Amino acid sequence: MKTLFTSILILSISFNSYSQCESITSESITNPGEFEVSILTEGDGVRNGPEYSGSTIYYPTNEDETLASIIIVPGYFTFESTIADWGPFLASHGIVTMTIGTNSILDQPAARSSALLDAMVSLKEENTRQNSPLNGKLNTSNIAVGGWSMGGGGAQIAATIDPTIKAVIALCPWLETNLISEEFLNHETPILIFSAEFDAIANHTLHADQHYALTPETTPKLIYEIAGAGHTVANYPTSGNGEVGILALSWLKKYMLNENCYCPLITQTPSTASLFTHNITCESENTITQEVACIEGWSIISTYVNPTNSNFTNFIAPVVSNLVIAKDYIGNAYLPDWDFNGIGDLEQGQAYLIKMLNTASLAVVGEQLIASENTITLNEGWNLVANYKTSSIDSDLAFSSLLETQNVVIIKDYIGNALLPEWGFNGLGDLLPGRGYQIKVTNTCELQY
């Protein structure tokens, strides 16, 4: 996606250029953005989902890159029009925005959650619908959800159901008392919560504040309470002297598009805030993004990045919709269909065996692990080892320090190409970034690339 700064792409690494971040300011991202906006409705052929009633898709017409999206649902006893202002605002900044109505204005948060999830189906179909102007232009793995009041509560529920959701924006959220608990707010999707100081409908003490407190500390989260405001304040990006829109856009840019230049805007307390709390830490200048190719079927993946969140569920989330199973070197498994994480946290130096339904790209964000500064412990027997090299390198050269120990029995890639030092045979060829390798050694030792 085009942005207000230019990404420098070297091989599979996206380095953040912080000198260019100076152009990203509150003033530079106010309404409107740089893109022209058009709309699509069901009258134009957009799918009519059974779990919601009516929709409008706002999209940038002069953007050539693959587009991220957000779906927003309104609150109790209200209509799609109440949250419509978000559509042209976000689309003008390059984010496709789908606003939807509900089957009944009396729908509760759970039904609004179902509406959001069903709308995701409709939005994804636009990427393949023959006559859609969005055909082939949507990143269907990069969708956020949002909602106002009961819609905000529904967005929270949707994140607990579908971990592929990239971000949540809750506008003065409301949930039933029995759902405001750690159990029903337990998800890892970055969530931005807007609240109002004088909200007489979704009192912030009973609702938004509790949403923030009960969302896990391991989940990126932020709450911004607008001073002197009421229940409808977050329905408009221009509210809070425009700071509502600035913060929401910055949140989506960072957590959907990995554009870390927006992070300082997220952590800067708005002038209109009566409460502002978050657990966000902006990455250092050493932050990079590695794109790891996860191919269809079985393969072994690894990364030379120390991710900002090392929990395996969070690490694998960008490709989880295509993942069947992942395993570490001792057989601990991650099973997405069962929401079971037996792997726990990602371990530096380790590679992982995965099975994919389809090929997908896994973005890993964090600080680079310098190969020359990090050793990897190999246990006696079989190991799954990460590749810390950022470009392809001859395997004899990459493993030279290890081969000199005469401790290696065999080194293999995911399709069985082997390096057999005892026989002087190297069928492995070059090591590739993002791939992992099986190594069998006779004694515990250290690998230094």
Side-chain angles (χ1 to χ4, degrees):
M1 173 173 288
K2 295 178 183 175
T3 60
L4 302 180
F5 70 99
T6 304
S7 296
I8 302 174
L9 185 63
I10 303 176
L11 297 174
S12 58
I13 312 174
S14 296
F15 289 93
N16 292 304
S17 178
Y18 278 74
S19 61
Q20 294 174 336
C21 288
E22 295 175 359
S23 65
I24 306 298
T25 65
S26 297
E27 291 73 21
S28 73
I29 60 172
T30 51
N31 196 22
E34 61 180 308
F35 298 114
E36 299 172 2
V37 177
S38 292
I39 65 172
L40 287 169
T41 67
E42 290 172 2
D44 299 308
V46 176
R47 171 181 176 267
N48 179 4
E51 300 298 325
Y52 63 92
S53 177
S55 65
T56 307
I57 299 175
Y58 303 81
Y59 65 97
T61 56
N62 54 329
E63 169 58 286
D64 297 326
E65 302 298 327
T66 304
L67 299 166
S69 313
I70 184 171
I71 302 166
I72 306 175
V73 67
Y76 184 75
F77 218 74
T78 63
F79 299 94
E80 179 188 350
S81 59
T82 57
I83 38 90
D85 282 13
W86 282 104
F89 170 71
L90 292 175
S92 74
H93 288 281
I95 298 173
V96 173
T97 304
M98 182 180 188
T99 58
I100 61 173
T102 53
N103 287 334
S104 168
I105 58 175
L106 306 179
D107 278 349
Q108 296 299 298
R112 293 166 196 270
S113 169
S114 298
L116 288 168
L117 296 174
D118 190 28
M120 287 178 65
V121 176
S122 299
L123 187 60
K124 290 177 179 180
E125 285 192 4
E126 286 302 293
N127 195 51
T128 56
R129 185 168 67 87
Q130 185 174 4
N131 295 324
S132 173
L134 294 175
N135 188 320
K137 294 185 176 181
L138 296 176
N139 182 345
T140 57
S141 297
N142 202 358
I143 300 177
V145 297
W148 169 51
S149 193
M150 283 193 182
Q156 276 275 50
I157 295 172
T160 67
I161 296 172
D162 186 350
T164 69
I165 292 171
K166 292 293 187 180
V168 174
I169 295 181
L171 313 171
C172 298
W174 188 99
L175 269 177
E176 298 97 320
T177 303
N178 65 312
L179 297 184
I180 302 178
S181 66
E182 292 181 352
E183 177 184 359
F184 290 100
L185 298 174
N186 183 17
H187 62 80
E188 298 181 349
T189 305
I191 179 164
L192 169 62
I193 302 170
F194 290 105
S195 66
E197 184 179 15
F198 300 127
D199 193 331
I201 296 173
N203 179 279
H204 64 83
T205 302
L206 301 177
H207 292 277
D209 294 354
Q210 296 302 313
H211 283 234
Y212 180 86
L214 294 171
T215 299
E217 282 302 316
T218 53
T219 299
K221 58 182 180 176
L222 185 151
I223 185 168
Y224 162 30
E225 180 186 288
I226 299 97
H231 190 50
T232 62
V233 65
N235 289 22
Y236 313 98
T238 53
S239 293
N241 295 332
E243 291 176 314
V244 168
I246 290 167
L247 188 55
L249 177 61
S250 298
W251 191 263
L252 296 177
K253 290 283 190 178
K254 173 172 171 54
Y255 289 108
M256 293 182 72
L257 303 174
N258 295 321
E259 295 178 6
N260 289 310
C261 284
Y262 289 85
C263 191
L265 296 181
I266 290 173
T267 57
Q268 178 180 325
T269 303
S271 63
T272 54
S274 48
L275 172 70
F276 187 76
T277 304
H278 64 82
N279 65 355
I280 310 303
T281 301
C282 293
E283 293 85 354
S284 71
E285 295 184 13
N286 297 323
T287 299
I288 64 170
T289 300
Q290 180 188 8
E291 296 290 342
V292 176
C294 300
I295 64 174
E296 181 180 347
W298 286 101
S299 65
I300 305 173
I301 63 168
S302 72
T303 179
Y304 50 71
V305 172
N306 184 19
T308 52
N309 188 331
S310 61
N311 183 273
F312 194 84
T313 301
N314 185 79
F315 165 76
I316 206 69
V319 298
V320 75
S321 61
N322 281 304
L323 180 70
V324 179
I325 187 173
K327 296 194 291 185
D328 64 14
Y329 76 102
I330 57 175
N332 293 319
Y334 174 80
L335 302 168
D337 286 348
W338 297 88
D339 194 24
F340 175 75
N341 181 8
I343 293 176
D345 289 343
L346 201 72
E347 291 188 39
Q348 289 184 18
Q350 298 297 307
Y352 296 87
L353 185 66
I354 66 170
K355 185 177 183 182
M356 298 285 291
L357 294 172
N358 300 287
T359 297
S361 180
L362 171 62
V364 187
V365 181
E367 292 196 17
Q368 183 180 351
L369 295 165
I370 306 301
S372 61
E373 298 175 359
N374 290 274
T375 59
I376 300 172
T377 299
L378 303 182
N379 298 311
E380 179 182 345
W382 285 102
N383 299 264
L384 284 175
V385 178
N387 177 15
Y388 282 165
K389 292 295 187 178
T390 61
S391 59
S392 61
I393 182 174
D394 180 78
S395 53
D396 280 323
L397 178 60
F399 293 125
S400 59
S401 64
L402 184 63
L403 295 173
E404 289 171 1
T405 66
Q406 298 183 342
N407 194 27
V408 178
V409 178
I410 187 172
I411 303 175
K412 297 194 298 182
D413 64 13
Y414 72 101
I415 56 176
N417 294 318
L419 190 160
L420 301 166
E422 184 179 354
W423 296 90
F425 174 78
N426 186 357
L428 193 58
D430 290 347
L431 301 192
L432 299 176
R435 299 278 176 83
Y437 297 87
Q438 292 180 289
I439 300 180
K440 186 178 183 180
V441 294
T442 54
N443 299 289
T444 298
C445 57
E446 300 290 327
L447 167 61
Q448 176 74 68
Y449 282 108

